[in-house]
Amino acid sequence: MSSTKGLEGIVATQSSISSIIDDKLTYVGYDIDDLTENCSFEEVVYLLWNLKLPTQEELNGFKQEIANDMKVPQGIIDHLKAYDLSTVHPMAALRTAISMLGLYDDEADEMTEEANRRKALRLQAKISTIVTAFARIRNGKEPVAPKQDLSFAGNFLYMLKGKDPEAIEEEAFNKALVLHADHELNASTFTSRVCVATLSDVYSGVTAAIGALKGPLHGGANERVMKMLDEIGEEENAIPYIKDKFANKEKIMGMGHRVYENGDPRAKHLQEMSRQLTEITGETKWYNMSVKIEDFIKEEKGLPANVDFYSASVYHSLGIDHDLFTPIFAVSRVSGWLAHILEQYADNRLIRPRAEYVGPGKQQFVPVEER
Ligand SMILES: CC(=O)SCCNC(=O)CCNC(=O)[C@H](O)C(C)(C)COP(=O)(O)OP(=O)(O)OC[C@H]1O[C@@H](n2cnc3c(N)ncnc32)[C@H](O)[C@@H]1OP(=O)(O)O
Ligand SMILES: O=C([O-])CC(=O)C(=O)O
């Protein structure tokens, strides 16, 4: 029995939700480029959960259902207020709050498909409210209630800042949400499927996934990309900084990917948004620096930028705190986790691989008093 480190290349399940073939990403067969340019995030969530695009009427109804469910139980807000949040990472707070949300749901352990779909809707609707409430409470501000007439993307920015977003901000944020919604069997999605394949509940599956997304080798990379850009400070420092990192055998956040060989098809959209937004903010250095780094690493190591690389300067340009970048990833990716959780329940088998044993051979047992 031999093992494959990190399960590289192992096909662990079948799925109808998204695919990566020859460096092309599709959701239910639709090219990510078309969805990004043409769809609202709500439309994409509907697609992932129903495996078909909605009609206008279905979309209107779905948007309304999400808008109706955005309010979060007061107990969760009180809980956030009860802590000193100054040293709490928002991903830790989100992980706890989502788990807590299950305590307020009478249907948490109801396992029918209908109940699981209702919970999926509640989770998708409430996750923005939780992240934005956290961001405001830690700054001594009251959470802002969502507006019924705003899009999902618009509402996030509205609840975060307490004012209506500009059209270009809402559009960029919507695109970012579409681009992050699903990605085949990435680490957090796999985690959610492993969890619910024991027939555990939806809240457990999403809580486990948030834990996996938090790490710097996965969703946590976007916050660290911005930290790196901040440390570099000015364009002319970029290449010496990267050379230093290489000399110390450190990884560059936002670069490389387990599956893509020639580039992540999401990166070009985020790159273009970064270009446009940094021009508007007058901080083109973040974009210019990012391009320099990407080109250099491509040439030196053959590594492409991944989705986390340009999303950093996009979110920064939208005036978002850097430690909220990964929670924003979760706000989008929860749609994919939930689609995979529903798919797993629909045709379930326990996920339980094997380990290649490499420990000591047979040993003679010695009682504790004789050791
Ligand atoms: C949404 C997402 O999750 S996208 C990924 C977000 N994560 C990051 O951006 C973190 C930085 N990137 C990485 O750590 C990796 O590229 C991963 C985790 C994305 C993929 O990892 P793996 O497929 O396991 O590749 P692995 O880590 O084994 O790297 C293979 C080789 O490329 C090098 N490498 C990979 N990524 C990087 C990087 N970002 N910077 C420098 N070198 C790198 C490794 O050092 C290794 O070199 P070696 O063979 O000389 O030891
Ligand atoms: O697929 C992966 O391994 C990571 C990734 O890009 C994502 O989750 O979006």
Side-chain angles (χ1 to χ4, degrees):
M1 203 162 52
S2 71
S3 63
T4 307
K5 200 168 180 190
L7 301 181
E8 178 167 3
I10 302 290
V11 179
T13 191
Q14 294 187 327
S15 177
S16 308
I17 302 167
S18 62
S19 77
I20 307 168
I21 299 171
D22 296 334
D23 287 352
K24 280 207 180 314
L25 172 62
T26 61
Y27 295 168
V28 198
Y30 293 101
D31 197 300
I32 190 68
D33 294 343
D34 293 330
L35 297 173
T36 306
E37 292 306 329
N38 297 298
C39 286
S40 65
F41 176 65
E42 293 92 318
E43 217 171 330
V44 166
V45 179
Y46 187 100
L47 171 67
L48 297 177
W49 293 2
N50 297 286
L51 306 182
K52 72 175 191 77
L53 283 168
T55 61
Q56 187 62 58
E57 199 184 339
E58 286 167 336
L59 180 59
N60 294 346
F62 189 61
K63 280 183 172 174
Q64 195 56 55
E65 283 179 335
I66 292 180
N68 291 345
D69 250 335
M70 288 182 89
K71 197 165 182 298
V72 165
Q74 187 56 36
I76 291 184
I77 303 294
D78 292 344
H79 181 77
L80 289 174
K81 285 183 175 170
Y83 283 92
D84 170 12
L85 297 180
S86 59
T87 56
V88 172
H89 194 280
M91 279 300 276
L94 179 63
R95 186 191 57 217
T96 301
I98 291 293
S99 179
M100 231 181 141
L101 209 49
L103 304 183
Y104 289 91
D105 192 332
D106 294 342
E107 291 193 306
D109 286 310
E110 177 67 63
M111 293 299 277
T112 62
E113 190 192 340
E114 296 71 32
N116 283 332
R117 282 182 165 266
R118 285 193 290 274
K119 282 177 271 181
L121 193 80
R122 284 179 210 131
L123 271 159
Q124 184 67 66
K126 293 184 197 323
I127 192 165
S128 286
T129 322
I130 291 172
V131 172
T132 53
F134 170 91
R136 292 184 68 85
I137 290 168
R138 74 170 167 182
N139 288 326
K141 297 180 185 157
E142 274 303 307
V144 170
K147 271 188 182 173
Q148 287 271 334
D149 59 334
L150 280 177
S151 67
F152 188 89
N155 247 323
F156 182 92
L157 296 173
Y158 170 70
M159 289 191 286
L160 186 66
K161 299 182 184 186
K163 62 178 176 48
D164 282 354
E166 300 289 335
I168 185 156
E169 294 175 324
E170 186 175 348
E171 192 190 318
F173 198 70
N174 180 72
K175 279 187 182 177
L177 293 178
V178 169
L179 288 165
H180 285 82
D182 195 46
H183 208 245
E184 203 223 47
L185 214 55
N186 62 86
S188 54
T189 301
F190 186 53
T191 302
S192 71
R193 288 189 80 128
V194 170
C195 179
V196 302
T198 67
L199 294 183
S200 188
D201 67 290
V202 172
Y203 288 97
S204 298
V206 172
T207 304
I210 292 172
L213 187 74
K214 182 171 179 282
L217 296 188
H218 191 15
N222 57 9
E223 176 186 349
R224 286 161 178 89
V225 170
M226 201 60 223
K227 182 170 180 286
M228 169 178 77
L229 298 180
D230 258 340
E231 281 168 6
I232 293 172
E234 299 303 330
E235 279 171 59
E236 62 268 24
N237 302 335
I239 305 305
Y241 178 97
I242 300 296
K243 282 183 176 166
D244 237 40
K245 291 270 175 195
F246 283 169
N248 292 325
K249 303 223 170 306
E250 286 179 54
K251 280 183 165 175
I252 310 302
M253 293 291 116
M255 302 300 299
H257 200 277
R258 172 63 69 80
V259 180
Y260 294 118
E261 286 180 3
N262 300 308
D264 182 329
R266 301 166 293 181
K268 63 179 179 295
H269 293 282
L270 290 154
Q271 176 173 358
E272 177 53 19
M273 281 188 253
S274 167
R275 191 190 65 73
Q276 286 181 21
L277 292 169
T278 55
E279 250 174 38
I280 292 170
T281 59
E283 287 191 312
T284 48
K285 69 173 184 177
W286 303 126
Y287 172 75
N288 294 339
M289 214 184 269
S290 303
V291 172
K292 266 194 180 157
I293 295 169
E294 186 192 7
D295 289 348
F296 182 73
I297 294 178
K298 229 186 240 166
E299 206 171 298
E300 289 287 308
K301 299 245 177 198
L303 291 172
N306 61 52
V307 72
D308 287 324
F309 191 65
Y310 285 101
S311 63
S313 46
V314 166
Y315 297 145
H316 172 80
S317 304
L318 292 173
I320 295 171
D321 289 347
H322 301 171
D323 61 359
L324 295 178
F325 294 1
T326 313
I328 288 171
F329 196 150
V331 164
S332 167
R333 183 57 59 85
V334 73
S335 63
W337 295 333
L338 289 162
H340 281 266
I341 287 171
L342 295 172
E343 189 178 61
Q344 184 66 39
Y345 284 143
D347 185 20
N348 189 54
R349 192 167 188 220
L350 179 77
I351 299 172
R352 198 291 188 202
R354 296 296 311 273
E356 179 187 0
Y357 179 67
V358 293
K362 187 166 170 47
Q363 302 206 69
Q364 189 60 47
F365 178 75
V366 181
V368 68
E369 59 278 8
E370 292 172 29
R371 271 177 238 153

